[in-house]
Amino acid sequence: MEYRQLGASGLQVPVLSFGTATFGGGDEFFKAWGSTMADEATRLVNLCLDAGVNLFDTADIYSDGLSEEILGKAIAGKRDQLLISTKATFTFGKGPNNQGSSRFHLLRQIEGSLKRLKTDYIDIYHMHGFDGNTPVEETLRTLDDLVQSGKVRYIAASNFSGWHLMKSQAISEKYGWNKYVAHQVYYSLANREYEWELMPLGIDQKIGAIVWSPLAAGRLGGKYRRNSPIPQNGRVAQGGSPVPEAVVKEEVFYNIIDALDEVAAETGKTVAQISLNWLLQRPTVSSIIIGARNEEQLLQNLAATGWNLTTDQLKKLDAASEVHTIYPYWHQRQNLTLNPPPAFY
């Protein structure tokens, strides 16, 4: 397993990490992801550790805390062998302070996560989304206090826009507080908007990307084909996709599938493995979160590492997945000497 430095931190993380949103299946949305319980979760955790995947990602809202509980059981006796990433900000529980990144909510949520995970510290603590109601200073001071207390090792953002992230970094620098070292983002061949602003920001500020839904909620898993019905056993058909149908442009998507099939024939790899390997060769990407409902899926995803697509294959996939940018990015791209794009090859 390859390890990469996480942003500007000194932490080494595996290029593949394991997402545990499939643990629990606590409601209809998460049942579409999976309903893995403790025994199977323990087997999956052990398979990951055997392969060198030692970073496990969860969140307080995944099945209302059940994902964290099951992960806590699955890692019993192994805490010193692995890294845990969890998140807060979104709605959890009842009452007027049941969401957001306020000091009140974050202190309540960190204690709940620690209890459910049966640990006394979190390695990477993410703000699951930006809270536009709470002063950024309040959020960052609270996170800095959590780091100083030892309950959190590193802090990270998730699903921020460029100005959200840059404002946060500037405030942390102003007061000498801990900065976000990572940004958990949606990025896949099906949707490359991350490249327009957040990737250049990540390069400039040394913020590592941890990629969620790298297969676009299973769309790039190898079961989708042009002029064929949508697989009924997938998350999209079952209503559990975190990637809205409207943001995946149908014609572009099937052009991507055609290109993936061509590369699969050239490499002998699966469509999913090629989609993951493409991401591993993009700038700023520190780790890709893979999920699995069973051991077979996990083993297939683990085989996405240890080899690389050629430059010609990368260019073929890039050409198939290219879409027109929105303003101001199309305007900035009119002069690439002033606004050079990230170096992909």
Side-chain angles (χ1 to χ4, degrees), residues 113-188:
S113 290
L114 292 172
K115 182 179 180 180
R116 289 185 291 271
L117 288 161
K118 294 182 170 60
T119 184
D120 55 5
Y121 68 96
I122 303 298
D123 296 286
I124 307 170
Y125 197 44
H126 286 83
M127 297 299 92
H128 212 160
F130 186 75
D131 177 2
N133 297 311
T134 299
V136 177
E137 291 86 349
E138 179 179 335
T139 299
L140 292 169
R141 176 58 192 270
T142 302
L143 292 174
D144 192 70
D145 288 346
L146 289 175
V147 174
Q148 298 298 330
S149 73
K151 293 181 179 180
V152 169
R153 298 291 191 254
Y154 298 94
I155 61 171
S158 183
N159 305 308
F160 279 30
S161 64
W163 77 266
H164 294 156
L165 190 51
M166 195 62 245
K167 179 176 182 178
S168 299
Q169 297 301 82
I171 288 174
S172 287
E173 183 169 347
K174 176 181 178 180
Y175 292 105
W177 296 335
N178 282 272
K179 290 183 177 181
Y180 293 131
V181 300
H183 190 196
Q184 191 166 139
V185 297
Y186 169 57
Y187 183 27
S188 76

Side-chain angles (χ1 to χ4, degrees), residues 6-80:
L6 184 61
S9 78
L11 185 66
Q12 298 288 321
V13 296
V15 294
L16 297 181
S17 47
F18 188 75
T20 66
T22 55
F23 289 4
D27 56 34
E28 291 305 313
F29 179 79
F30 284 107
K31 281 180 183 177
W33 292 41
S35 301
T36 302
M37 303 309 287
D39 288 345
E40 178 67 10
T42 302
R43 287 192 290 271
L44 294 175
V45 166
N46 289 337
L47 275 174
C48 285
L49 292 175
D50 288 344
V53 175
N54 68 342
L55 173 57
F56 297 87
D57 180 76
T58 185
D60 56 2
I61 65 163
Y62 293 169
S63 294
D64 291 326
L66 187 55
S67 171
E68 289 183 323
E69 287 185 22
I70 294 172
L71 179 59
K73 293 176 182 177
I75 64 172
K78 310 181 188 77
R79 182 65 181 94
D80 61 344

Side-chain angles (χ1 to χ4, degrees), residues 7 14 21 40 55 67 75 81 83 102 123 148 165 180 193-194 248 251 254 262 276 288 307 310 324:
E40 178 67 10
L55 173 57
S67 171
I75 64 172
Q81 302 175 36
L83 304 170
S102 66
D123 296 286
Q148 298 298 330
L165 190 51
Y180 293 131
E193 295 90 342
Y194 169 73
V248 180
E251 185 57 32
Y254 286 112
E262 291 179 17
L276 295 173
I288 297 171
W307 56 278
T310 67
H324 292 296

